[in-house]
Amino acid sequence: MKVLEAKFVEGFMRMANDGWEQGWHERNGGNLSYRIKPEEVDSVKEEFVAGDWREIGTEVKDLAGEYFLVTGSGKYFRNVIIDPTDSIGIIEVDETGSKYRIVWGFVNGGRPTSELPSHLMNLEVCKKRDAEIRVVYHCHPTNVIALTYVLPLEDEIFTREIWEMATECPIVFSKGIGVVPWMVPGGRDIAVATSEIMATKDVAVWAHHGMFVCGTDFDIAFGLMHTVEKAAEVLVKVLSMTNKKRQTIQPDEFRALNAPFGVQINEECLYEKKSDIIGER
Ligand code: 2HA
Ligand code: ZN
């Protein structure tokens, strides 16, 4: 089968375009990666042509020998569906987990996303806790970014304020959100900070920059991003009217969701509030 005919490639490109249409990918903002299943690799590998090995910039031993579909560095999400072989590519990680080579795509001399260390380290820690997690997605969603200027950059408070904006939130991301303070993007340090969050949670916010999510498939990962950003939009609207809530969802009401929805909502975020001012504990 041709790479561009494979279902996982179609799903990847659709997700990239959906993100573009949401307004989450100005210019070359954002990046997407998918850890390809062995049978999917087999179905398309006749088209692979291996390039030279290059340094990843970090080590991902538990991903040794695996293949990834990734967006390209400096490439625009809005171009993925019209020029996929330029915008996206498949890479193989070597047996040491420290090098990669391009085997398909990036036809005009492109290379994988500048956030490759973050993507691979996230995919590695996610694989350890759930081998089914295959998608890592980074974008620049407006409302979440806006909130990083006004909410404390503390995991529990950030999570709680977003959870209160939509009942589905604590069900969809019951472990909550981790927040990374402002850091230089593209390198190993921010990758380590993000992967420490992704070791237990599905959502990481990068202050004044954007958000990372993971998921078992494209629908789950995109839907998670959409859910967090939608709730963030509600919070921005509330904050634009007032800094206080007249009423909201209470800790015991969150707890009442656990049994019917089969989740275990992170208790650390269900602290008793002493203040009705948004962002205060
Ligand atoms: O430009 O979003 O974080 C791609 C990015 C870097
Ligand atoms: Zn970014």
Side-chain angles (χ1 to χ4, degrees), residues 24-31 72-75 77 113-115 138-140 185-186 190 206 209 212:
W24 299 339
H25 298 281
E26 75 291 340
R27 203 173 182 277
N28 61 322
N31 22 76
S73 177
K75 302 298 181 187
F77 267 55
T113 164
S114 59
E115 303 293 358
H138 167 61
C139 72
H140 299 169
I190 198 166
W206 283 4
H209 181 145
F212 264 88

Side-chain angles (χ1 to χ4, degrees), residues 79-101:
N79 292 336
V80 167
I81 55 168
I82 60 159
D83 198 359
T85 60
D86 175 75
S87 310
I88 66 177
I90 296 176
I91 61 167
E92 176 189 4
V93 168
D94 77 345
E95 291 306 322
T96 70
S98 62
K99 294 189 171 66
Y100 74 90
R101 63 181 177 188

Side-chain angles (χ1 to χ4, degrees), residues 42 49 84 96 128 132 174 180 214 243 273 277 281:
D42 286 342
V49 179
T96 70
K128 272 187 209 160
E132 296 301 310
S174 54
V180 177
C214 65
N243 68 343
K273 285 190 178 178
I277 296 177
R281 268 190 185 260

Side-chain angles (χ1 to χ4, degrees), residues 232-246:
E233 182 178 355
V234 177
L235 186 50
V236 167
K237 287 185 196 292
V238 172
L239 280 164
S240 69
M241 294 182 277
T242 176
N243 68 343
K244 283 184 191 169
K245 293 172 199 146
R246 183 183 293 270

